[in-house]
């Protein structure tokens, strides 16, 4: 902790820089746990660095994202240990769609009041996500902004960079008619669509609803199901790329099936999906029932239980499913690539 930096005047305005130093001390152990063989320096410098001297690849791929209004659920539950995982997942799951391996991550936390223990808990979640993704948490920023954010609220965003050899980058142009789409199950709502979820359950006005238990959710509370962190797909996807001919990948986030699947296909091709093939998670059936949401809107907003879609040649499908199963990921045949301009055809 810095022993000479302090400002009573700044403290009176609502910014406690000493609390910031305390937060850094509390998060150091978590951050250091993410260090990899590429880690270059320790926490506290003006920039984070990794050494890529011996890393295969010549194309850097970067992604940035946040947790969105799912944070409102964390505030109401006073549960801050999982949103950091969400933040990492939303970034690295995008990066791996190119075939890149995540190398590093940085977080940004803006808050109304810097409570060191809360900030450290958030970063612990970020560190867990980084360890799962195999990347180093090389730095970040905590900005105390009184008057801009409420004292007990914060925003959380992140940035990640990965690397891939140019010749090994996934290219959707390689997708052909007859290829198959494999679904890798999501862990829940992930980090998209929470503005709609909050409205449907009237969560902002009636936060007690988060404590309600539903038989359809296995007796779990609504809050526990909604706060479930976004699944990180780095390990299984990289293993698939090493083992089978992966043509293209789609990360199913905001915009659901209709927005994201077409992004993984060349013009003139579509993925034909029988709705009965989709293993819809109970939380989505509950959301649709409570909100009276049209089916198309559900598939155009939520992941519906499918967090990632991997396109492979038909002859590689069984091997790919076997690999995913051996790694503990629920995966199954979702659909087939056919001619068409829709991008996705649900029937």
């Amino acid at each position: 902790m810095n022993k000479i930096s302090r400002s009573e005047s700044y403290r009176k305005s609502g910014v406690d820089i000493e609390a910031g130093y305390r937060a850094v001390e509390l998060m150091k152990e978590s951050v250091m746990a993410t260090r990899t063989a590429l880690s270059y320096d320790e926490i506290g410098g003006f920039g984070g660095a990794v050494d890529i001297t011996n890393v295969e690849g010549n194309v850097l791929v970067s992604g940035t994202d946040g947790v969105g209004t799912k944070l409102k659920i964390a505030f109401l539950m006073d549960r801050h240990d999982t949103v950091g995982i969400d933040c990492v997942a939303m970034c690295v799951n995008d990066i791996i769609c190119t075939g890149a391996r995540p190398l590093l991550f940085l977080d940004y936390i803006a808050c109304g009041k810097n409570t060191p223990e809360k900030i450290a808990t958030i970063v612990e979640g970020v560190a867990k996500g980084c360890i799962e993704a195999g990347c180093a948490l090389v730095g970040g920023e905590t900005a105390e902004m009184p008057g801009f954010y409420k004292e007990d609220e914060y925003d959380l965003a992140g940035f990640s960079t990965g690397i891939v050899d140019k010749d090994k980058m996934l290219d959707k142009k390689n997708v052909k008619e007859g290829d198959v789409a494999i679904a890798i199950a999501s862990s829940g709502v992930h980090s998209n669509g929470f503005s709609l979820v909050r409205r449907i359950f009237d969560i902002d006005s009636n936060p007690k609803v988060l404590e309600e238990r539903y038989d359809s959710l296995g007796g779990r509370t609504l809050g526990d199901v909604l706060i479930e962190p976004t699944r990180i797909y780095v390990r299984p996807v990289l293993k698939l790329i090493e083992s089978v001919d992966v043509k293209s990948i789609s990360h199913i986030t905001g915009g659901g099936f209709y927005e994201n699947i077409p992004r993984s296909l060349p013009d003139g091709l579509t993925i034909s999906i029988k709705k009965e093939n989709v293993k819809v998670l109970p939380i989505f059936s509950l959301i649709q029932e409570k909100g009276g949401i049209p089916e198309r809107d559900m598939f155009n907003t939520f992941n519906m239980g499918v967090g990632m879609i991997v396109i492979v040649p038909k002859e590689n499908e069984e091997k790919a499913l076997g690999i995913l199963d051996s790694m503990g990921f629920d995966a199954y045949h979702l659909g087939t690539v056919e001619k068409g301009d829709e991008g996705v055809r649900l029937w």
Side-chain angles (χ1 to χ4, degrees):
M1 182 180 294
N2 195 308
K3 297 181 180 180
I4 63 171
S5 177
R6 64 181 64 88
S7 173
E8 188 60 31
S9 297
Y10 209 7
R11 184 197 298 268
K12 289 179 180 179
S13 74
V15 179
D16 187 350
I17 57 178
E18 292 178 79
Y21 302 143
R22 172 63 177 159
V24 171
E25 288 297 319
L26 290 175
M27 70 178 70
K28 267 189 175 181
E29 184 176 349
S30 297
V31 175
M32 294 301 291
T34 73
R35 287 176 65 84
T36 69
L38 308 179
S39 297
Y40 195 81
D41 54 9
E42 296 187 5
I43 186 173
F46 286 98
V50 294
D51 185 348
I52 60 173
T53 305
N54 298 311
V55 177
E56 181 182 355
N58 49 28
V59 177
L60 296 177
V61 181
S62 297
T64 185
D65 209 336
V67 183
T69 66
K70 184 175 185 176
L71 290 176
K72 284 279 191 179
I73 309 300
F75 301 158
L76 293 171
M77 296 179 67
D78 194 23
R79 175 91 178 270
H80 312 284
D81 59 330
T82 61
V83 291
I85 300 174
D86 287 296
C87 191
V88 175
M90 295 304 291
C91 296
V92 298
N93 285 346
D94 277 352
I95 286 175
I96 58 172
C97 288
T98 67
R101 175 166 68 93
L103 295 176
L104 60 87
F105 190 85
L106 297 98
D107 59 35
Y108 175 80
I109 305 170
C111 57
K113 181 179 180 180
N114 188 334
T115 304
E117 292 76 15
K118 180 186 287 188
I119 299 299
T121 298
I122 296 168
V123 176
E124 284 174 12
V126 175
K128 288 179 181 178
C130 287
I131 292 171
E132 176 66 20
C135 62
L137 178 55
V138 298
E141 175 69 16
T142 301
E144 190 172 18
M145 302 167 65
F148 194 86
Y149 292 94
K150 294 180 181 179
E151 278 199 3
D152 59 346
E153 295 189 354
Y154 57 85
D155 198 6
L156 173 63
F159 170 90
S160 186
T161 294
I163 194 167
V164 61
D165 191 274
K166 185 176 182 179
D167 296 333
K168 296 180 180 179
M169 288 187 71
L170 300 185
D171 188 344
K172 65 182 181 181
K173 293 179 182 178
N174 293 324
V175 177
K176 305 295 183 184
E177 183 181 5
D179 289 339
V180 296
I182 292 173
I184 310 179
S186 70
S187 54
V189 185
H190 283 185
S191 298
N192 302 104
F194 274 87
S195 294
L196 179 56
V197 170
R198 287 168 37 240
R199 182 184 68 78
I200 288 171
F201 292 97
D202 194 24
I203 291 172
D204 294 352
S205 300
N206 180 30
K208 284 289 185 180
V209 72
L210 294 171
E211 300 174 12
E212 291 187 17
R213 297 182 183 276
Y214 292 84
D215 290 340
S216 63
L217 302 181
R220 299 176 68 193
T221 67
L222 178 64
D224 282 343
V225 172
L226 292 179
I227 202 72
E228 187 75 32
T230 305
R231 182 161 289 166
I232 293 175
Y233 298 97
V234 173
R235 291 185 301 108
V237 166
L238 291 181
K239 181 64 174 178
L240 283 181
I241 291 173
E242 291 176 2
S243 308
V244 301
D245 180 17
V246 175
K247 298 287 193 73
S248 187
I249 301 175
S250 180
H251 180 201
I252 310 302
T253 56
F257 281 44
Y258 287 103
E259 179 178 326
N260 294 291
I261 292 177
R263 296 166 62 186
S264 63
L265 298 168
D267 292 341
L269 292 179
T270 189
I271 295 182
S272 178
I273 301 171
K274 291 182 180 179
K275 293 175 185 176
E276 63 191 48
N277 286 354
V278 183
K279 295 182 180 180
V280 178
L281 293 177
I283 182 61
F284 297 111
S285 299
L286 180 62
I287 290 170
Q288 184 175 10
E289 176 188 345
K290 288 287 185 180
I293 307 300
E295 184 179 64
R296 193 190 191 287
D297 287 359
M298 291 295 297
F299 277 94
N300 210 154
T301 305
F302 301 105
N303 67 64
M304 300 301 285
V306 179
M308 191 74 74
I309 294 174
V310 181
I311 301 174
V312 301
K314 184 174 179 58
E315 58 268 25
N316 285 174
E317 182 174 23
E318 288 305 315
K319 182 177 181 180
L321 289 172
I323 290 170
L324 291 167
D325 179 68
S326 70
M327 298 183 74
F329 284 81
D330 181 22
Y332 54 91
H333 174 85
L334 183 66
T336 304
V337 177
E338 300 177 353
K339 290 182 179 179
D341 296 321
E342 309 103 298
V344 59
R345 184 184 301 132
L346 285 165
W347 56 283

